[in-house]
Amino acid sequence: MDAGSVASSVLRGPFTGRARREVAFCVLTLPFGVFIPLAGFFATADAGLLLGSGRPWVANGNPSEQAVAAAVGVSVLLTVLLVATGAARGLTAACRGLAARLLGERVAAPAPMPSRRLAARLADGPGWRALAYLMLKLPVMLLELYAVVVFWGAGLANLTYPFWWQFFRNHPPGSHLSAVPVITPFGWFGQGRFTVATFPGTFAAFAAGAGMLLAAPWVTRAVVAADRRLIRGLLGPGFSARLADLERTRAAAVDDAAARLRRLERDLHDGAQIRLATLAMNLGMAKKKLGDSGVVPDADGARELVDAALQGARDALGELRELARGIHPPVLDNGLPDALASLAASSAIPAQLACGLPARPAPAIEAIAYFCVAELLANAAKHSAASTIKIDLSERAGRLMLMVADDGRGGADPARGSGLAGLAQRAAVVDGSLTITSPPGGSTRVTVEMPRHA
């Protein structure tokens, strides 16, 4: 990336949708970081007040042993209740939903809660991982709060200094006014603070605010990345479920590859192979009609057989090209945007294409995306009665997002053999997913999400 692209990214950073979504995520998930400390504080305080009929915890300047024991007991009881009742799961499910909606971080939900038996619930791995997330969320939440308050909030406040200074600092000459502090990431108040005492100094505050706002998206992104790691590591289905999912995906990939090989063999046997056999037979018959030497006994018949053989060769060549295109379309050699542009141009329904990929995905991902769009365009032409189709290709949080939407009659159902189930299976092979929104009488929207690298 050249210097111009870097400067453009820095200048546009505070105004991007991603920056707004990450700030919203930081603000909306603040309660998750303070839930455990607040719950523990109030529960322990109640226990301390109950001991001794409301007498304070501290007696003669030393903590009461009974209060300490009560605090420990209440903390353990609170931990057990959060896991056993599923409260920790419920809280983190909301956090997982916010991450999916705002960050594009879609983490599969863990297995359902065990039976009502207390022993089974206390052994609930996802519940304990959810509790661990709530505990680890506190330091992450403090960093998110620091990024939002200091870099975004104080940065915006610093930009206002030149505008309000003349209105609120217009005292008569000789008046002694204290310098106004400026909040920066390196100092707040007290030692090392940055202060402004004159109107020209407000432009230094303005410059500091501009620098803080330009850095704010990147600081926020770094902090949110830590939260993403916690969400992926603690709020997912767990290692055993993930292993089972990988085993299912591997089995699906093996079945899909076997089905493709069988289909390729059948197409070769029923198409190109028969044409080539007919070609060889026609050439053999033409050779007989031409004779071994001398005058040709049946020149017209030989010409007809040669013409038939030539046409058969052309047909066989065309079928082989179609088979090769089905294995790997040559248009993908120029990249996925060009390949999708060719599909949109040849679509039976007018299609609009929007591509916003910063870098080229892996070849396997490109091939899956291409075949998904081809299948979805074919489905729309057959079933949707739509007038327009929109194809949107973008990247969010390091994952490829492919959306195909039409304004047709809706009602798309993978169970009816429309090929959608096969597309979902193909996306799952590379740890992707396919989401369908198609209410009857409404438009159809299919979203395919995949990693950029298989």
Side-chain angles (χ1 to χ4, degrees):
M1 184 179 294
D2 56 14
S5 300
V6 173
S8 177
S9 298
V10 172
L11 292 176
R12 290 188 292 105
F15 308 103
T16 60
R18 178 176 180 177
R20 292 192 297 270
R21 291 191 297 269
E22 288 176 342
V23 171
F25 177 79
C26 292
V27 173
L28 293 176
T29 57
L30 287 178
F32 298 101
V34 300
F35 177 81
I36 292 292
L38 285 179
F41 172 79
F42 287 116
T44 306
D46 290 342
L49 291 175
L50 286 174
L51 288 173
S53 299
R55 289 179 297 175
W57 295 11
V58 179
N60 300 324
N62 296 317
S64 168
E65 292 184 0
Q66 291 183 344
V68 172
V72 173
V74 169
S75 299
V76 173
L77 179 61
L78 175 64
T79 300
V80 171
L81 288 175
L82 285 173
V83 175
T85 61
R89 275 174 167 259
L91 289 170
T92 54
C95 190
R96 192 171 57 246
L98 287 173
R101 185 177 183 83
L102 297 174
L103 306 180
E105 188 69 48
R106 289 174 173 80
V107 177
M113 279 281 291
S115 62
R116 295 184 177 182
R117 293 188 302 110
L118 180 60
R121 293 200 165 207
L122 289 179
D124 179 30
W128 288 105
R129 291 197 303 273
L131 182 66
Y133 173 81
L134 293 175
M135 291 179 174
L136 294 174
K137 176 67 176 176
L138 176 61
V140 175
M141 179 271 295
L142 294 176
L143 292 175
E144 292 172 341
L145 185 65
Y146 177 77
V148 172
V149 172
V150 176
F151 283 88
W152 289 100
L156 287 171
N158 292 344
L159 291 179
T160 66
Y161 274 56
F163 302 101
W164 56 260
W165 187 271
Q166 296 293 349
F167 296 101
F168 295 97
R169 304 288 287 187
N170 56 354
H171 294 73
S175 300
H176 177 72
L177 300 176
S178 301
V180 178
V182 178
I183 298 177
T184 70
F186 309 104
W188 297 59
F189 301 98
Q191 296 293 329
R193 67 181 180 177
F194 173 23
T195 59
V196 173
T198 62
F199 177 68
T202 60
F203 292 99
F206 182 90
M212 292 163 65
L213 280 180
L214 291 177
W218 311 101
V219 175
T220 308
R221 191 166 302 172
V223 177
V224 169
D227 211 334
R228 284 175 179 270
R229 252 179 209 285
L230 291 179
I231 292 173
R232 284 195 298 263
L234 296 175
L235 302 187
F239 177 76
S240 58
R242 178 62 177 159
L243 181 60
D245 183 64
L246 289 175
E247 289 176 347
R248 287 193 298 270
T249 301
R250 178 183 176 276
V254 172
D255 293 341
D256 183 67
R260 288 174 183 278
L261 287 175
R262 287 194 300 270
R263 186 164 58 251
L264 180 61
E265 180 184 8
R266 183 180 64 250
D267 292 341
L268 286 172
H269 182 272
D270 296 343
Q273 182 176 342
I274 292 178
R275 293 188 183 278
L276 290 174
T278 304
L279 168 63
M281 184 178 63
N282 287 334
L283 289 176
M285 293 172 64
K287 182 179 179 180
K288 288 183 179 180
K289 287 184 178 294
L290 289 173
D292 295 332
S293 62
V295 180
V296 178
D298 189 0
D300 292 337
R303 289 191 189 95
E304 291 179 2
L305 290 171
V306 171
D307 289 340
L310 179 60
Q311 184 60 43
R314 289 171 178 169
D315 293 341
L317 183 60
E319 289 193 4
L320 289 174
R321 284 175 177 170
E322 288 296 325
L323 289 174
R325 189 177 293 112
I327 298 172
H328 179 79
V331 70
L332 276 176
D333 295 338
N334 298 327
L336 186 57
D338 288 348
L340 296 187
S342 69
L343 285 177
S346 60
S347 173
I349 301 173
Q352 301 174 358
L353 174 64
C355 289
L357 288 181
R360 187 168 179 175
I365 300 299
E366 287 186 330
I368 293 175
Y370 176 87
F371 287 120
C372 284
V373 173
E375 180 71 21
L376 292 173
L377 290 178
N379 280 351
K382 291 178 183 177
H383 309 294
S384 70
S387 59
T388 59
I389 298 177
K390 292 182 179 180
I391 306 170
D392 184 80
L393 180 67
S394 61
E395 181 180 331
R396 182 183 299 178
R399 293 178 70 83
L400 193 74
M401 306 295 294
L402 176 64
M403 186 272 293
V404 179
D406 63 56
D407 59 353
R409 58 194 174 201
D413 185 3
R416 293 195 309 210
S418 59
L420 295 175
L423 295 184
Q425 182 178 359
R426 182 175 291 189
V429 168
V430 292
D431 200 19
S433 62
L434 183 140
T435 305
I436 303 171
T437 303
S438 184
S443 60
T444 298
R445 179 189 296 264
V446 180
T447 303
V448 182
E449 179 183 349
M450 297 180 292
R452 287 184 60 250
H453 301 284

